[in-house]
């Protein structure tokens, strides 16, 4: 048996998501604060002596062929690195699919990181993030992880080092949402040009939980609520039961509440479990970009 290697593919939530306008290439110019959370798919990579790229997963909700972003990532890695070896990728899927949590992008990023280790290619995080941009807008962030302000179409990253702990209760409505459809339905009058990211970054840096929660804002939420009214109704119900503000991540439909303590998060989690099947209790992943302990925070890993 060949070498086995494990990579965790962590999900993200959007603390802010602002759209500045539509670009000539059809994408939208965004300004958003993204935060990694500790909900993760687990990928196992193993050298395939036959030289093929193959996928296996414990979920029927993801394609196991070349459409899967993990498969795309393996091909992108081979093309960019010039290493033409094969790999078997086993995905233990924990992140809800098509949910606004960047599950597919996280898998792709984990494959880039994993192949770099498996094949000893010594690429830097910056190089892998640049390759990731060709796979999807969220992949560069998923390569780096932690917290960052993302601009451009999401691939231009400015790391945010903070040490804030917050708990996140996720609710995944039983609706599949296409990111392209949500961006496509966004009307010009729904664009917001008010810069919110600097305030969010300041609140995170200050460890001010109330200011962070008050600053969470996503201009795509009204669009998804308009396209999928059942998500809007569910958000209202979650707000009522949880007794705290409810937000949407990415293009949705996943809703989330931020809580300051494990106890308060557990109360909300159990209350929501009473009427929703897919509820997750997680928390901010400590910044992967900050030094492990002591020392001055730095923008480089
Ligand atoms: O980059 P990704 O493949 O994840 O994007 C999926 C779709 O979402 C794009 O085809 C585009 O329609 C839309 N999108 C956008 N602006 C962005 C990111 C995504 O319009 N910044």
């Amino acid at each position: 048996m060949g070498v086995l290697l494990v990579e965790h593919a962590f999900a993200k939530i959007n603390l802010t998501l602002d759209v500045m306008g539509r670009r000539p290439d059809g994408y939208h110019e965004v300004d958003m604060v993204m935060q990694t959370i500790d909900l993760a798919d687990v990928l196992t990579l193993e050298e395939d002596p036959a030289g093929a790229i193959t996928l296996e997963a414990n979920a029927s909700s993801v394609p196991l062929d070349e459409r899967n972003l993990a498969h795309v990532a393996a091909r992108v890695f081979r093309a960019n690195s010039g290493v033409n070896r094969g790999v078997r990728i086993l995905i233990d899927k924990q992140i809800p699919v098509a949910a606004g949590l960047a599950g597919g992008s996280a898998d792709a990023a984990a494959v880039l990181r994993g192949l770099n280790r498996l094949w000893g290619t010594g690429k830097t995080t910056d190089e892998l993030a640049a390759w990731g941009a060709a796979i999807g807008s969220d992949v560069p962030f998923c390569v780096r992880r932690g917290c960052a302000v993302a601009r451009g179409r999401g691939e231009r990253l400015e790391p945010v080092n903070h040490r804030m702990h917050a708990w996140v209760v996720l609710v995944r409505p039983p609706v599949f949402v296409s990111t392209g459809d949500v961006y496509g339905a966004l009307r010009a009058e729904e664009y917001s040009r008010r810069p919110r990211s600097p305030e969010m970054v300041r609140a995170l840096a200050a460890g001010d939980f109330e200011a962070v929660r008050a600053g969470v804002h996503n201009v795509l939420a009204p669009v998804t609520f308009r396209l999928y009214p059942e998500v809007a109704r569910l958000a209202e119900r979650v707000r009522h039961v949880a007794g705290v503000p409810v937000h949407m991540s990415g293009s949705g439909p996943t809703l989330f509440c931020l809580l300051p303590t494990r106890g308060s998060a557990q109360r909300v989690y159990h209350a929501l479990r009473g009427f929703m099947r897919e509820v997750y209790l997680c928390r901010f992943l400590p910044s992967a970009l900050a030094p492990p302990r002591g020392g001055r925070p730095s923008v480089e890993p």
Side-chain angles (χ1 to χ4, degrees):
M1 202 172 69
V3 178
L4 281 184
L5 185 148
V6 172
E7 273 287 338
H8 283 78
F10 290 100
K12 62 86 185 165
I13 55 171
N14 288 88
L15 296 178
T16 63
L17 195 166
D18 204 1
V19 176
M20 320 314 288
R22 206 179 142 83
R23 306 170 8 155
D25 63 3
Y27 281 88
H28 290 75
E29 193 70 19
V30 296
D31 182 309
M32 49 194 188
V33 177
M34 300 165 97
Q35 171 68 50
T36 301
I37 55 174
D38 68 349
L39 174 65
D41 294 343
V42 183
L43 277 76
T44 307
L45 275 59
E46 185 185 8
E47 184 85 30
D48 175 28
I53 298 169
T54 51
L55 287 184
E56 288 168 55
N58 64 343
S60 56
S61 51
V62 289
L64 296 177
D65 55 22
E66 61 282 351
R67 288 170 298 165
N68 191 303
L69 292 188
H71 201 287
V72 178
R75 296 200 310 274
V76 164
F77 192 96
R78 286 212 301 205
N80 283 300
S81 66
V83 179
N84 241 336
R85 289 153 72 174
V87 62
R88 284 183 55 211
I89 303 167
L90 178 69
I91 306 177
D92 175 9
K93 198 84 201 136
Q94 301 297 329
I95 307 172
V97 176
L101 299 170
S105 303
D107 291 350
V111 167
L112 295 178
R113 283 195 309 266
L115 288 182
N116 197 32
R117 287 168 56 208
L118 189 68
W119 293 340
T121 31
K123 299 295 168 190
T124 64
T125 302
D126 282 348
E127 282 172 291
L128 298 179
W131 295 354
I135 304 167
S137 305
D138 289 340
V139 178
F141 173 77
C142 292
V143 168
R144 300 197 68 110
R145 297 164 291 177
C147 181
V149 182
R151 299 198 178 87
R153 63 181 175 91
E155 85 290 12
R156 273 181 28 224
L157 301 174
E158 210 175 282
V160 177
N161 287 302
H162 69 74
R163 293 170 195 280
M164 213 183 101
H165 299 286
W167 291 82
V168 186
V169 179
L170 300 174
V171 177
R172 199 259 192 262
V175 176
F176 282 85
V177 167
S178 148
T179 302
D181 289 353
V182 172
Y183 273 106
L186 182 66
R187 299 174 185 141
E189 65 267 23
E190 285 172 317
Y191 294 171
S192 162
R193 286 171 195 281
R194 275 184 292 151
R196 295 191 173 88
S197 299
E199 283 167 43
M200 177 56 75
V201 169
R202 269 197 297 278
L204 287 165
D208 185 342
F209 175 83
E210 290 304 331
V212 168
R213 186 159 68 182
V216 177
H217 186 80
N218 180 347
V219 299
L220 297 181
V223 185
T224 303
F225 290 178
R226 176 154 53 73
L227 295 181
Y228 307 91
E230 60 270 44
V231 179
R233 282 194 293 274
L234 193 63
E236 204 34 60
R237 190 147 179 224
V238 170
R239 192 184 329 271
H240 182 74
V241 171
V244 293
V246 178
H247 318 285
M248 192 185 83
S249 184
S251 53
T254 298
L255 306 168
F256 69 90
C257 300
L258 292 184
L259 284 309
T261 61
R262 182 200 293 265
S264 59
Q266 278 173 334
R267 273 193 297 282
V268 168
Y269 171 80
H270 288 298
L272 296 175
R273 285 279 290 169
F275 70 98
M276 281 297 298
R277 205 169 58 86
E278 282 198 72
V279 187
Y280 303 81
L281 178 59
C282 23
R283 55 181 174 167
F284 286 8
L285 194 75
S287 176
L289 303 177
R293 70 187 62 184
R296 238 161 33 90
S298 124
V299 291
E300 287 304 317

